[in-house]
Amino acid sequence: MYILKGIILFDGVCNLCNGLVQFLLKRDKEDRFRFASLQGEQGQQLIQKHNIEYNLDTFIYIKASKVFTKSTAALHVLKDLKGFWQLLFIFVLIPKFLRDPIYNCIANNRYKWFGKQDQCMMPKTEYKNKFLD
């Protein structure tokens, strides 16, 4: 059922991550994405299936059996979002060794800057079919 959909794995208790998921849900007019928390059963199964090395600081995007992580994942999601957001994919030309330290700085401080929840967010009824967990 999700073969043609990109799957976004995110930290389900992170306020920044949940905000980004809400941002994507509102703009995913072509129904391109499915979501799973890194802490959830489906997220863990996908990590094992694709043999992904990760921690909770890692944003993961799986599309057509290709796995993207960190800044590369974020850029591929924006590319697949279509519209104006696709233009930001040009930043993929910046080498990963320059992009990922910026990503890591934000990821390492996201709880301090944006806070966190005690448990993973529950999707609104209208978006429930977009979540794998």
Side-chain angles (χ1 to χ4, degrees):
M1 179 176 178
Y2 303 113
I3 296 171
L4 299 176
K5 309 289 183 196
I7 301 172
I8 297 169
L9 302 178
F10 66 100
D11 179 353
V13 298
C14 167
N15 287 340
L16 173 63
C17 303
N18 287 326
L20 291 172
V21 168
Q22 295 301 320
F23 172 87
L24 292 170
L25 285 168
K26 290 176 184 172
R27 288 160 182 81
D28 184 21
K29 304 298 184 200
E30 296 181 20
D31 195 30
R32 295 180 178 270
F33 305 117
R34 293 296 179 263
F35 303 88
S37 71
L38 290 165
Q39 295 93 334
E41 184 179 329
Q42 292 293 325
Q44 289 296 307
Q45 286 178 4
L46 287 163
I47 287 165
Q48 289 177 2
K49 176 183 175 183
H50 293 279
N51 197 27
I52 302 169
E53 194 173 314
Y54 87 103
N55 60 44
L56 288 178
D57 294 341
T58 306
F59 180 76
I60 300 168
Y61 183 45
I62 303 169
K63 183 179 177 195
S65 296
K66 292 182 183 173
V67 176
F68 305 101
T69 60
K70 299 187 177 191
S71 65
T72 304
L75 291 170
H76 276 273
V77 167
L78 290 172
K79 176 181 148 193
D80 289 347
L81 192 56
K82 301 296 183 193
F84 164 80
W85 304 106
Q86 278 186 308
L87 299 176
L88 297 174
F89 190 69
I90 195 159
F91 289 109
V92 81
L93 297 174
I94 297 171
K96 186 175 172 78
F97 75 89
L98 294 174
R99 282 185 279 120
D100 275 353
I102 296 167
Y103 173 93
N104 290 336
C105 179
I106 295 167
N108 292 335
N109 290 291
R110 72 191 187 282
Y111 293 153
K112 182 174 20 171
W113 295 342
F114 301 97
K116 70 184 251 188
Q117 303 294 312
D118 292 330
Q119 58 188 1
C120 292
M121 74 167 199
M122 296 299 295
K124 292 180 182 179
T125 306
E126 69 227 57
Y127 297 127
K128 202 158 185 73
N129 65 326
K130 291 180 158 282
F131 285 80
L132 303 182
D133 290 304

